[in-house]
Amino acid sequence: MGQKTEVPRRARLNRERVLEAAVTLADEIGIDALSMRRLAQEVGVVPMALYKHVADKEDLLDGMVEVIIREIDPPVLDSCWRDAIRHRVLSARSALHHHRWARQAIESRSKPTPSVLEYQDSFAGIFLAGGFTPDLAHHVMHALGGRMWGFTQELFGGSGNPKGNAQPPASPDAQAEMFAHMARLYPNIVTIATATPHDDDSVVGRGCDDQYEFEFALDLLLDGFERLHRRRWTSER
């Protein structure tokens, strides 16, 4: 009697597996192309099976944001508030750099989920534990804005789009002609844009180093927060 061939059993589907699969798929195709049907194909089930674990695509995106937040380093204990904030912001930036669609997902949420609120609450807690008054902590949280998540609205262009959606680079001759045109119309912009050589692979603008510019602005904010904190600043007039 021949031996029976055992068919490997597929791991039981649950919400965590669905979300992890969705994150992996979004890394490949972006969230605009992500659909419940496409995700169902990826995990090997019929689309209706997904609805046992996620209510709809909005619930799916909420859960995917939760997965990203779990990848961000937790607050560093026994650290000064400035180092703790800086470390967490840069960890968030690293996570979002790995998942190019994450910024779009975060910005598209119509209301904060518990995981988003917990993330924001951890920042407020760091400031309060560092001796900031609730008044000052309120204003510095506003000032941080998207930097809390590791991104900003950049001066020379958006950084939220996946590289796959970027326009193909122009030819060297076309670039030279465009640069000359810019120099004639906007000489001051060209002057400052060419003042410091940086990397070519940039989403801020050609020749800019995104990471350097982000950390430069983040440190300016943190220095300003520290000065206000030492002055016992208050918003009361």
Side-chain angles (χ1 to χ4, degrees):
M1 185 180 294
Q3 288 184 328
K4 292 183 178 180
T5 302
E6 293 188 6
V7 178
R9 296 180 63 182
R10 180 182 296 136
R12 183 181 295 275
L13 201 63
N14 55 34
R15 182 176 174 85
E16 183 176 357
R17 276 199 66 219
V18 169
L19 297 179
E20 293 287 353
V23 167
T24 300
L25 184 58
D27 288 344
E28 298 175 3
I29 65 175
I31 59 172
D32 290 333
L34 178 67
S35 67
M36 300 296 277
R37 181 177 298 277
R38 180 70 177 82
L39 178 59
Q41 293 175 350
E42 193 72 14
V43 297
V45 299
V46 297
M48 287 303 297
L50 295 180
Y51 291 99
K52 296 179 182 179
H53 310 288
V54 290
D56 49 29
K57 187 173 179 180
E58 289 303 302
D59 185 34
L60 179 68
L61 290 174
D62 284 345
M64 292 167 67
V65 171
E66 292 177 9
V67 173
I68 300 306
I69 292 175
R70 290 200 296 268
E71 294 183 10
I72 300 172
D73 291 342
V76 178
L77 301 178
D78 301 325
S79 178
C80 74
W81 68 265
R82 192 185 190 284
D83 290 344
I85 293 291
R86 193 177 194 278
H87 177 83
R88 197 145 206 237
V89 166
L90 294 181
S91 176
R93 183 169 176 82
S94 177
L96 266 68
H97 182 77
H98 182 64
H99 305 287
R100 294 288 188 167
W101 51 268
R103 172 177 176 173
Q104 184 180 346
I106 291 169
E107 291 183 325
S108 70
R109 300 303 80 215
S110 59
K111 60 180 180 180
T113 62
S115 61
V116 169
L117 291 172
E118 289 171 4
Y119 182 74
Q120 294 172 334
D121 186 73
S122 72
F123 276 81
I126 292 172
F127 285 120
L128 293 174
F132 282 52
T133 65
D135 179 36
L136 180 55
H138 172 98
H139 291 284
V140 300
M141 292 277 286
H142 274 290
L144 270 179
R147 277 190 180 81
M148 186 183 303
W149 296 100
F151 61 75
T152 61
Q153 184 62 47
E154 298 294 359
L155 178 61
F156 298 115
S159 60
N161 292 328
K163 287 191 174 182
N165 294 341
Q167 295 294 323
S171 68
D173 288 343
Q175 290 180 20
E177 183 179 350
M178 181 174 60
F179 184 84
H181 180 70
M182 285 283 292
R184 288 192 300 271
L185 294 180
Y186 315 110
N188 297 323
I189 291 178
V190 171
T191 296
I192 66 170
T194 57
T196 305
H198 285 315
D199 297 335
D200 285 340
D201 183 16
S202 169
V203 293
V204 177
R206 182 170 176 78
C208 294
D209 182 333
D210 297 337
Q211 187 68 23
Y212 181 88
E213 302 299 349
F214 182 88
E215 292 190 32
F216 177 80
L218 176 62
D219 288 336
L220 280 179
L221 283 172
L222 294 176
D223 289 344
F225 297 163
E226 189 165 30
R227 286 195 297 273
L228 292 176
H229 180 35
R230 289 176 177 176
R231 285 169 39 199
R232 301 182 183 278
W233 180 91
T234 174
S235 64
E236 294 180 2
R237 301 298 184 212

